Amino acid sequence: MSDLDATTPRIFLVRHGETEWTKNGRYTGTTDLELTHTGIAQVKGTASYLVGSGKLIDPARIARIWVSPRKRALQTLGLLFNNSSTEPGTYNAVITEDIAEWNYGDYEGLLVGEIRAGRKERGLDGHVEWDIWRDGCEGGESAQQVTERLDRLISEIREIQEPCMNGEGSADVVLVAHGHILRAFVKRWLKYPLDNQLPLMFSPGAIGILSYRNHDLDEPGFYLGMALPLQE
């Protein structure tokens, strides 16, 4: 049985488009930035190719959308479905902190080099450099706290998709969120701890895809690549 059978429910991960802090690498958690002009163009470009009737993300197949409450994510959601024949409000979109960006606490707005230098000045890390996946954020979330909220969301997704593992109805879901939290979601989907050394990259405005191998709820996987639907 093919792992690439598109009747198996899928999870589409959508990273918001570029912001001013995305460009310079500043940690952006709760700060409510809007998309830049480039960020808007990124999402529109992705949507024009991949979202719409008969395309990779087909509104007719979506059971649920979860979106971060930050402006950049909500703006991305609106742009993503603008080219669709179905209005975003007609399907079940849930705004939730469960898929909000990692709360960076004291590190909000800083560059990774600034975070590591500050921690060393305070004698926190010794010979081992700070790693968010292991150490979390002072004044913000720990890896365990992020794990707990993502596992809660994964349980909800599995409840929706379990009855539809062989194409029995519309069961695709969409998550519209942020770079760190979506990479964390991939790790938890694959049942890895967040400090697992799984290097992942996720460009602004890009879409990733998760699903299940062999139509089996107990075999979560991710697509290294997926052929796009044929266009009539």
Side-chain angles (χ1 to χ4, degrees), residues 38-72:
T38 297
I40 291 170
Q42 288 168 336
V43 179
K44 284 184 174 180
T46 296
S48 67
Y49 284 103
L50 299 181
V51 181
S53 179
K55 296 183 179 180
L56 181 67
I57 301 180
D58 189 333
R61 296 190 57 180
I62 296 173
R64 186 77 54 83
I65 298 170
W66 281 275
V67 57
S68 161
R70 304 289 90 80
K71 287 180 182 178
R72 55 198 184 276

Side-chain angles (χ1 to χ4, degrees), residues 15 27-28 100-102 104 130 132-133 146 150 177-186 202:
R15 184 181 178 188
Y27 275 54
T28 319
E101 183 57 293
W102 200 309
Y104 299 127
W130 171 77
I132 189 172
W133 305 106
V146 171
L150 291 180
H178 315 268
H180 250 131
I181 203 66
L182 289 174
R183 284 179 285 156
F185 185 93
V186 172
F202 208 148

Side-chain angles (χ1 to χ4, degrees), residues 65-145:
I65 298 170
W66 281 275
V67 57
S68 161
R70 304 289 90 80
K71 287 180 182 178
R72 55 198 184 276
L74 294 169
Q75 192 177 2
T76 295
L77 174 64
L79 293 168
L80 192 70
F81 289 98
N82 252 1
N83 295 324
S84 164
S85 58
T86 305
E87 290 297 319
T90 63
Y91 24 87
N92 199 357
V94 177
I95 300 172
T96 176
E97 290 284 345
D98 280 351
I99 199 62
E101 183 57 293
W102 200 309
N103 184 335
Y104 299 127
D106 298 345
Y107 305 155
E108 183 77 7
L110 299 181
L111 303 172
V112 65
E114 294 171 337
I115 296 169
R116 287 176 172 163
R119 286 176 62 93
K120 286 183 178 179
E121 287 174 5
R122 297 190 297 279
L124 291 177
D125 296 325
H127 299 295
V128 180
E129 285 192 317
W130 171 77
D131 183 346
I132 189 172
W133 305 106
R134 180 189 64 236
D135 304 318
C137 299
E138 293 178 276
E141 284 185 296
S142 67
Q144 181 59 35
Q145 288 172 313

Side-chain angles (χ1 to χ4, degrees), residues 131-207:
D131 183 346
I132 189 172
W133 305 106
R134 180 189 64 236
D135 304 318
C137 299
E138 293 178 276
E141 284 185 296
S142 67
Q144 181 59 35
Q145 288 172 313
V146 171
T147 295
E148 288 171 1
R149 64 179 168 101
L150 291 180
D151 286 357
R152 181 168 60 241
L153 180 55
I154 287 170
S155 293
E156 291 185 56
I157 292 171
R158 287 166 64 91
E159 285 179 11
I160 290 171
Q161 295 184 331
E162 184 174 13
C164 307
M165 296 305 291
N166 292 280
E168 303 93 337
S170 301
D172 287 345
V173 303
V174 180
L175 307 182
V176 184
H178 315 268
H180 250 131
I181 203 66
L182 289 174
R183 284 179 285 156
F185 185 93
V186 172
K187 290 185 178 184
R188 291 310 300 150
W189 183 258
L190 298 175
K191 303 180 181 180
Y192 296 154
L194 292 193
D195 62 357
N196 182 278
Q197 294 301 309
L198 181 65
L200 298 168
M201 295 182 291
F202 208 148
S203 299
I207 291 176

